[in-house]
């Protein structure tokens, strides 16, 4: 097992304020390998990495350490290889309490993943005004068992044995990865995104939310591919919990699909995710 998803992350900042830029490089570990090929990354690690890059640039550009990465909207321009990558990020908007960052991963000079990440300053008084409503569990959680003190006591979810899945811990609440239909699972990473760094809340959510389409798939993995062309993750509050409860459902259209996920920690709702799926036969 690898000790991290990415190694040798080197970033360099230049400019100031709204003109601050980030450039650098990183090595992808075998742990990033996805379900369709060990040589192509699962969407979780590279999206989480883009959040990390956006956070570094946002803090540098704004001079504020209290910004929270609250949303990522990512687009896959090409498969992300398990290989050395170049990284970059630019400021799109710099306001007093919010920063919008554009971040990109490229391989061999070709962009393969881009994302826009919003970072926002938290407002404690607004959270106090919301009271318990700010952490109320969504209706989708009502039919699931109460969050255990230790999700690792739950049954193991039988995920497919590709590298990314092996580097996360999966505990089943409902459904099954190999059984079509909605599913819910507690999950946490066994290794850090980058060695020596504790991931932020949105990094942890981005790392796992790309798996919503996998645990709730409606088609046979052996006969069909259902790669997502994008990933949207929204965050409503910070969390120090390493465990994430992902409740996922997939719906299919004419060659397309939509995977939606509700994301919670042991205190309640923290966010939501969505993916657009391209459904194609693997037999063709």
């Amino acid at each position: 097992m690898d000790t991290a998803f990415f190694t040798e992350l080197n970033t360099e900042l230049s400019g100031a304020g709204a003109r601050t830029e980030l450039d650098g490089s990183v090595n992808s570990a075998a742990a990033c390998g996805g379900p369709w090929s060990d040589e192509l990354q699962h969407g979780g690690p590279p999206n989480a990495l883009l959040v990390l890059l956006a956070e570094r640039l946002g803090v540098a550009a704004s001079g504020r350490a209290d910004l929270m990465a609250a949303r990522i909207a990512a687009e896959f321009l090409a498969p992300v290889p398990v290989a050395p990558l170049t990284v970059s990020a630019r400021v799109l908007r710099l306001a007093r309490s919010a920063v919008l960052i554009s971040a990109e991963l490229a391989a061999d000079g070709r962009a393969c993943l881009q994302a826009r990440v919003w970072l926002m300053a938290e407002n404690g008084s607004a959270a106090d005004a919301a009271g318990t409503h700010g952490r109320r569990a969504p209706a989708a959680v009502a039919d699931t068992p109460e969050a255990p003190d230790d999700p690792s006591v739950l049954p193991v979810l039988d995920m497919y044995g590709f590298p990314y899945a092996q580097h996360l811990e999966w505990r089943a609440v409902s459904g099954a990865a190999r059984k079509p239909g909605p599913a819910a699972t507690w999950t946490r990473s066994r290794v850090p995104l980058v060695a020596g760094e504790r991931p932020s809340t949105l990094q942890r959510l981005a790392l796992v939310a790309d798996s919503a389409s996998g645990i709730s798939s409606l088609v046979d993995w052996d006969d069909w591919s259902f790669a997502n062309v994008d990933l949207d993750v929204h965050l409503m509050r910070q969390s120090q919990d390493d465990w994430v409860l992902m409740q996922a459902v997939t719906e299919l259209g004419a060659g397309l699909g939509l995977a939606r996920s509700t994301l919670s920690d042991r205190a309640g709702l923290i966010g939501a995710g969505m993916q657009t799926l391209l459904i194609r036969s693997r037999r063709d």
Side-chain angles (χ1 to χ4, degrees):
M1 179 173 289
D2 289 314
T3 57
F5 287 102
F6 296 100
T7 62
E8 299 180 40
L9 175 61
N10 298 300
T11 58
E12 198 171 299
L13 295 165
S14 59
R19 296 183 181 275
T20 309
E21 298 184 353
L22 179 150
D23 293 284
S25 60
V26 69
N27 284 336
S28 311
C32 295
W36 315 121
S37 169
D38 288 353
E39 298 178 355
L40 300 178
Q41 293 195 33
H42 183 277
N47 275 302
L49 181 63
L50 289 183
V51 175
L52 183 155
L53 299 175
E55 290 170 337
R56 285 192 180 183
L57 178 57
V59 170
S62 66
R64 300 185 60 159
D66 63 337
L67 294 178
M68 176 183 75
R71 187 230 180 176
I72 178 173
E75 313 283 350
F76 289 94
L77 306 181
V80 183
V82 179
L85 304 170
T86 56
V87 303
S88 60
R90 306 289 181 266
V91 178
L92 297 181
R93 176 172 171 77
L94 179 60
R96 186 170 64 177
S97 58
V99 182
L100 179 60
I101 303 294
S102 174
E104 179 181 285
L105 300 181
D108 294 325
R110 180 188 181 190
C112 46
L113 180 61
Q114 294 179 340
R116 293 190 176 197
V117 179
W118 274 105
L119 296 94
M120 302 178 184
E122 295 183 275
N123 187 328
S125 59
D128 293 340
T132 57
H133 298 291
R135 298 196 177 187
R136 183 172 53 196
V141 182
D143 295 332
T144 64
E146 183 177 349
D149 292 334
D150 180 10
S152 64
V153 303
L154 296 172
V156 174
L157 181 70
D158 186 17
M159 287 292 288
Y160 288 74
F162 53 93
Y164 161 85
Q166 293 174 339
H167 285 76
L168 272 74
E169 189 172 355
W170 308 86
R171 298 291 170 166
V173 176
S174 63
R178 298 172 186 264
K179 178 182 177 182
T185 180
W186 286 96
T187 183
R188 66 177 173 180
S189 182
R190 299 179 186 272
V191 299
L193 182 68
V194 175
E197 295 195 24
R198 178 171 174 78
S200 68
T201 307
L202 190 59
Q203 287 178 41
R204 289 199 300 275
L205 296 192
L207 181 64
V208 303
D210 198 81
S211 297
S213 57
I215 67 170
S216 66
S217 65
L218 294 178
V219 295
D220 190 306
W221 288 49
D222 293 328
D223 295 331
W224 300 89
S225 68
F226 43 93
N228 52 303
V229 299
D230 58 12
L231 175 68
D232 274 37
V233 181
H234 299 256
L235 174 68
M236 63 176 281
R237 65 175 173 85
Q238 300 266 29
S239 172
Q240 297 303 314
D241 198 342
D242 289 334
W243 284 102
V244 176
L245 172 62
M246 177 168 50
Q247 296 173 265
V249 60
T250 294
E251 298 174 73
L252 298 183
L256 302 177
L258 182 66
R260 295 176 286 122
S261 59
T262 298
L263 307 167
S264 307
D265 64 5
R266 281 173 282 188
L269 178 69
I270 51 176
M274 188 168 289
Q275 302 161 276
T276 304
L277 311 176
L278 184 63
I279 314 297
R280 291 293 183 268
S281 172
R282 302 186 71 183
R283 302 299 185 184
D284 294 341

